[in-house]
Amino acid sequence: MSDPPETELPSQQSDSDTTVVREIHDRITNRAFNEWYNEQQFQSNILEGKEYFNGPSPPKDPDHHTPSKLLQCHRKASYARQNAPREGTVPEGLFWFGTEFEEQVIVPFLQSITTPSTYVTNSVWIDTETVHDGTPLRVRGTTDPAIVTADADPLLVTEIKTTTSLDHLSAPKPHHRAQLHAYLHALNDKYDHEVTTGLVVYGSRETLNIKAFRVDFDPSFWDDVVTWMADQTAYEQASELPPASPERDWECNYCAFKHRCGQADTPFSDIGTDGLLPVFDGYDRDNLQEYLDAHEDRDARLTPTLAHCFPDLAAEYGAYDWSCSKCETSYGWGDVEWDGDTDALPFCPACADAGALVTLSGPEPDNQLTPS
């Protein structure tokens, strides 16, 4: 009886292999992934001729409006239009899914149901002007996919939105309806045939089910939208912070400006569009870089609090000094010993030497940027 074949033992990992594995593991970080993803988007925009999406958008002129911002909370709209720093984390996943759902699901579906004489286009550019009580108001932007003729003249426009659930949707949301009305108003004026009907299509991010609502142009509703634009323009022309006017109270919980607005459990309220909140660390890297780049010409810098969170950004963009409200002494952001706990701010050394414990802070938002 022959002996059984010897079992070959697995070779042990060499020291060099172990080093390589460790190096690869160390490279897989959230920051590395975000930097890679942002670079992919940057390259894709250049490839597709959309390099204008790389970098921050310029602040909107008071009389210029974009369809996606219509009929929203006036204050939220002003914060977004004037490049106020966004709080929290950019919802890149939602943006990605929305784009992929539209391009990879809805467009092919629309192409499958068109008639022999109609086609699908990804978008149609709109640029229209209307007047309200003597004030000209301009609306510019691009539609979502549209059904068009062989000459690419639009017949039916859509607004595509994704959501967690379709269960409670019985009608399109007012600001989505307003967005579609802006498209219809602009296109109906431009073409020699009627463009007065559109669809708001909601897609579930969980099930991929859809729910479509037909929207016919309603002159009365459009008047409400135009009034909203006129009010928004008036606030911004007067350099006035608009009132907080969410459609539903719960929207404030998800707003990217809830802390500066005063809708959160922090000691801020009614802060204007300029400047970072002092002693606040609720900004992520992408939002901060977008804000700093958008206000580079106004000498935007980090607060001392944020400089401790992002020392590499402080090295690139600079940081404001700590300051004492009592003795008015200033200290470089890195010259004061502090562990980064915003609930235990550093004390002013000069005041402490004099027997008084006074906490330091960064400059108030309206004292940060140079005049535009």
Side-chain angles (χ1 to χ4, degrees):
M1 184 174 179
S2 60
D3 294 331
E6 294 184 1
T7 302
E8 185 176 345
L9 295 175
S11 61
Q12 291 186 338
Q13 197 172 54
S14 68
D15 290 342
S16 61
D17 289 343
T18 301
T19 300
V20 168
V21 170
R22 184 181 298 112
E23 287 179 355
I24 293 175
H25 176 270
D26 291 344
R27 292 176 184 177
I28 302 176
T29 65
N30 184 58
R31 179 175 172 181
F33 173 78
N34 287 336
E35 290 175 348
W36 169 84
Y37 182 74
N38 289 338
E39 179 61 22
Q40 299 303 303
Q41 290 184 304
F42 191 93
Q43 293 181 19
S44 177
N45 288 335
I46 293 177
L47 181 65
E48 297 174 6
K50 299 177 180 178
E51 68 284 346
Y52 44 83
F53 285 140
N54 291 333
S57 300
K60 294 286 187 296
D61 292 333
D63 60 335
H64 285 198
H65 299 271
T66 53
S68 62
K69 296 293 186 291
L70 298 177
L71 229 58
Q72 296 190 16
C73 168
H74 276 296
R75 183 173 293 185
K76 176 184 177 182
S78 270
Y79 283 148
R81 286 163 50 83
Q82 301 307 314
N83 286 334
R86 292 178 176 272
E87 302 151 8
T89 302
V90 180
E92 294 284 7
L94 295 182
F95 295 157
W96 179 86
F97 186 89
T99 299
E100 292 297 303
F101 180 75
E102 179 180 318
E103 295 179 354
Q104 304 299 326
V105 179
I106 293 299
V107 168
F109 170 65
L110 292 177
Q111 289 175 316
S112 75
I113 61 172
T114 55
T115 65
S117 60
T118 57
Y119 300 84
V120 177
T121 185
N122 285 327
S123 62
V124 180
W125 173 255
I126 68 159
D127 188 345
T128 187
E129 190 173 279
T130 188
V131 178
H132 182 271
D133 290 342
T135 301
L137 305 167
R138 191 172 184 181
V139 186
R140 305 175 68 189
T142 56
T143 74
D144 280 351
I147 306 296
V148 300
T149 68
D151 294 324
D153 293 341
L155 300 172
L156 178 75
V157 291
T158 70
E159 180 56 37
I160 312 299
K161 300 295 183 184
T162 62
T163 184
T164 302
S165 173
L166 305 174
D167 293 344
H168 303 295
L169 280 173
S170 58
K173 296 179 180 179
H175 57 284
H176 297 157
R177 189 178 169 214
Q179 197 168 345
L180 195 57
H181 268 66
Y183 303 154
L184 296 174
H185 171 79
L187 296 176
N188 196 56
D189 277 355
K190 182 177 180 179
Y191 292 92
D192 58 5
H193 60 267
E194 283 194 348
V195 186
T196 57
T197 301
L199 293 174
V200 178
V201 180
Y202 294 97
S204 169
R205 291 189 290 268
E206 295 182 354
T207 65
L208 286 187
N209 289 336
I210 68 168
K211 186 175 285 189
F213 298 97
R214 171 174 170 159
V215 175
D216 295 315
F217 186 82
D218 180 349
S220 177
F221 179 74
W222 178 241
D223 286 344
D224 293 339
V225 177
V226 172
T227 299
W228 182 95
M229 287 192 286
D231 290 343
Q232 186 72 28
T233 293
Y235 290 128
E236 294 183 11
Q237 286 178 335
S239 298
E240 179 182 345
L241 184 67
S245 54
E247 183 184 340
R248 298 176 179 86
D249 290 341
W250 56 261
E251 292 178 22
C252 296
N253 296 330
Y254 300 96
C255 180
F257 310 102
K258 64 181 179 181
H259 289 273
R260 73 189 304 113
C261 179
Q263 302 300 317
D265 57 351
T266 47
F268 310 107
S269 65
D270 303 325
I271 306 297
T273 59
D274 286 348
L276 296 162
L277 299 177
V279 197
F280 179 73
D281 57 5
Y283 303 106
D284 78 357
R285 176 180 294 272
D286 290 341
N287 284 337
L288 273 178
Q289 286 193 277
E290 181 176 301
Y291 165 78
L292 293 166
D293 289 339
H295 297 87
E296 183 179 14
D297 60 336
R298 299 182 63 189
D299 195 27
R301 287 175 274 170
L302 297 180
T303 63
T305 305
L306 293 170
H308 277 271
C309 296
F310 305 100
D312 58 319
L313 293 184
E316 180 178 355
Y317 295 95
Y320 301 108
D321 291 340
W322 291 109
S323 60
C324 176
S325 60
K326 181 177 177 62
C327 70
E328 299 183 352
T329 304
S330 296
Y331 305 90
W333 73 268
D335 296 338
V336 177
E337 188 173 342
W338 181 51
D339 64 2
D341 183 0
T342 56
D343 292 325
L345 295 172
F347 294 112
C348 170
C351 288
D353 290 342
L357 296 181
V358 182
T359 56
L360 297 173
S361 181
E364 292 298 316
D366 55 2
N367 293 327
Q368 292 178 18
L369 302 180
T370 58
S372 56

